[in-house]
Amino acid sequence: MSDVAGPAPGDGSLGEHSKPRSRFAWCITGSGHFLDESMALAARLPNVDLFLSAAGEEVLEIYKLHVDELKPRFRVFRDKTASGVPVGMLYDDVYHTVVVAPATSNTVAKCAFGISDTLPSNMFAQAGKLGIPGIVFACDTEPVVVTKSPHKWVTLRPRRIELDNVDRLRQIDFCQVVASPAELEAALDARLQELALAWNTSSS
C-alpha cells in the first residue's frame, strides 16, 4: 500500500476530511538539483503533502533528508501501488495546487508527453485533467547547468532533447515551468496570493 505518514500539524485527517482544495501536493522526483532549497520552500507553505516517486525517496536519503524526519511536518505518500492510489485525492478535491520540484529530465519528458507511470507524473497528469494548476521546477533548462551532487558541484550540459522537452512542457495546459529556486518562490508566492493564503512564518 501507499504509506501515509505523519499528519501535517493541525490536520490529522486524510483526504476525505480535508476542506475542499485546501492543500498543496508537492511531488519529489529523483533529482538533487536544488533539492534542499526546494524542500525549504515546501516547509514554508501551509498544508503541504509530499508525494514521493521511488527515485525521489532514494534521493532524499542520499541528500540526508530522511523521510522519518519529514513526517512531523508533512504527510508523506510513497509510490507503492501500481494504480497510484493517492492520486485519488485529487478527485476528492483535496488539492488546489500540484508542485513538482525539483523535476528530473525524465519526469519532465514524461509530463511533456503525457506519460504517467510514477506517482509525481500521475499527479501532474490528473491535476491537469481536473484544471488544477501545476508548477514544475525543471532541472535541465539551460545549455549549461551547475548542480550540487551529494559530494560536490557538477557542471552539466543538457542535450537538445532535454531543452526541447522543457519547451514542450511549457505548452501543457495548467502548467507553469520555473527554472530556479527564485522563480519557484515567486510562482508559489503568486499562487498563495491567488488563494488568499500566506507563507508560514516558521518552518519548524
Side-chain angles (χ1 to χ4, degrees):
M1 302 179 56
S2 296
D3 181 20
V4 182
D11 186 353
S13 62
L14 291 180
E16 62 270 19
H17 301 299
S18 295
K19 293 180 181 179
R21 295 203 177 183
S22 62
R23 305 185 69 82
F24 284 89
W26 192 291
C27 302
I28 305 294
T29 72
S31 174
H33 184 63
F34 289 113
L35 179 59
D36 288 328
E37 292 82 352
S38 296
M39 293 303 300
L41 287 171
R44 290 174 52 204
L45 291 173
N47 300 323
V48 181
D49 295 343
L50 299 183
F51 292 78
L52 313 181
S53 69
E57 189 169 348
E58 291 178 356
V59 167
L60 283 172
E61 294 294 328
I62 291 170
Y63 282 78
K64 303 187 185 306
L65 294 167
H66 305 298
V67 173
D68 286 344
E69 295 173 3
L70 297 173
K71 291 177 184 178
R73 174 62 185 84
F74 304 101
R75 299 191 306 189
V76 178
F77 297 89
R78 289 171 158 132
D79 204 350
K80 301 293 186 182
T81 63
S83 61
V85 171
V87 177
M89 287 187 291
L90 288 169
Y91 303 120
D92 293 331
D93 280 343
V94 175
Y95 300 104
H96 51 62
T97 312
V98 171
V99 182
V100 185
T104 61
S105 58
N106 187 46
T107 296
V108 167
K110 289 180 178 182
C111 292
F113 283 90
I115 298 170
S116 50
D117 61 356
T118 64
L119 192 50
S121 59
N122 204 343
M123 288 290 291
F124 175 83
Q126 300 307 316
K129 294 176 185 179
L130 292 166
I132 297 172
I135 301 171
V136 180
F137 176 17
C139 296
D140 295 332
T141 57
E142 302 290 341
V144 178
V145 175
V146 179
T147 189
K148 186 178 181 181
S149 75
H151 306 294
K152 62 180 180 179
W153 288 91
V154 179
T155 299
L156 303 176
R157 291 174 174 80
R159 302 167 298 171
R160 171 49 53 190
I161 190 169
E162 277 98 29
L163 299 175
D164 287 347
N165 286 339
V166 172
D167 289 339
R168 184 182 182 91
L169 184 62
R170 294 183 192 277
Q171 306 306 313
I172 298 293
D173 295 340
F174 304 106
C175 175
Q176 179 179 2
V177 177
V178 299
S180 69
E183 288 186 14
L184 177 58
E185 183 172 12
L188 292 169
D189 188 65
R191 185 63 179 142
L192 286 170
Q193 292 184 44
E194 290 173 358
L195 296 164
L197 296 173
W199 294 97
N200 290 329
T201 56
S202 173
S203 61
S204 61

